[in-house]
């Protein structure tokens, strides 16, 4: 469990660090934006590992349902029908998913 928490923390810290570094070196803002994709990938991997260890946890199942919904709506918005309102929702969804998986991981009690 400690490895999952560490991986999640590193995944969150990298874009934040690069974003702050962007104050001094503007190119870091681009790297920060690209690293958010890596953060999402790492958090999905962490979620899968968490799910394999805690299959009874309803919150991780809700997380995967939300991730599936996000990617389905993203595909629909890009390839089928471009909707401005849906774009705004999709813009903030990754941040909400990031916070949600972090709360799930950090609130899980250690089993002795």
């Amino acid at each position: 469990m400690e490895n999952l928490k560490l991986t999640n923390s590193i995944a969150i810290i990298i874009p934040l660090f690069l974003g702050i570094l962007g104050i001094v070196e503007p190119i870091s803002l681009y790297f920060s934006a690209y690293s958010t994709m890596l953060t999402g990938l790492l958090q999905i991997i962490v979620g899968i590992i968490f799910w394999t260890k805690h299959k009874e946890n309803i919150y991780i199942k809700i997380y995967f349902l939300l991730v599936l919904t996000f990617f389905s709506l993203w595909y629909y918005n890009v390839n089928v029908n471009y909707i401005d309102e849906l774009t705004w929702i999709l813009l903030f969804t990754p941040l909400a998913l990031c916070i949600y998986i972090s709360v799930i991981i950090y609130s899980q009690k250690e089993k002795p």
Side-chain angles (χ1 to χ4, degrees):
M1 186 58 99
E2 287 300 318
N3 290 339
L4 293 179
K5 290 179 181 179
L6 179 65
T7 304
N8 188 53
S9 297
I10 290 171
I12 293 171
I13 289 171
I14 289 173
L16 291 174
F17 173 75
L18 290 173
I20 292 170
L21 188 62
I23 295 170
V24 178
E25 187 62 42
I27 192 73
S28 295
L29 293 174
Y30 293 109
F31 292 128
S32 175
Y34 287 128
S35 69
T36 57
M37 291 184 280
L38 177 64
T39 297
L41 177 65
L42 285 173
Q43 286 190 325
I44 289 176
I45 292 169
V46 164
I48 291 169
I49 294 169
F50 183 87
W51 176 73
T52 58
K53 294 180 181 181
H54 305 281
K55 291 189 183 211
E56 72 284 348
N57 191 321
I58 189 70
Y59 300 113
I60 195 68
K61 293 175 186 175
I62 293 170
Y63 170 74
F64 283 117
L65 179 67
L66 292 172
V67 168
L68 181 65
T69 303
F70 167 71
F71 281 111
S72 299
L73 288 173
W74 184 26
Y75 176 80
Y76 176 78
N77 196 39
V78 170
N79 294 323
V80 178
N81 191 9
Y82 184 77
I83 302 171
D84 287 333
E85 294 82 16
L86 187 58
T87 303
W88 281 104
I89 294 169
L90 292 175
L91 183 64
F92 294 105
T93 304
L95 177 62
L97 287 172
C98 178
I99 292 168
Y100 187 64
I101 190 69
S102 297
V103 168
I104 292 171
I105 291 170
Y106 291 115
S107 65
Q108 181 68 33
K109 302 289 187 234
E110 292 289 330
K111 293 182 181 177

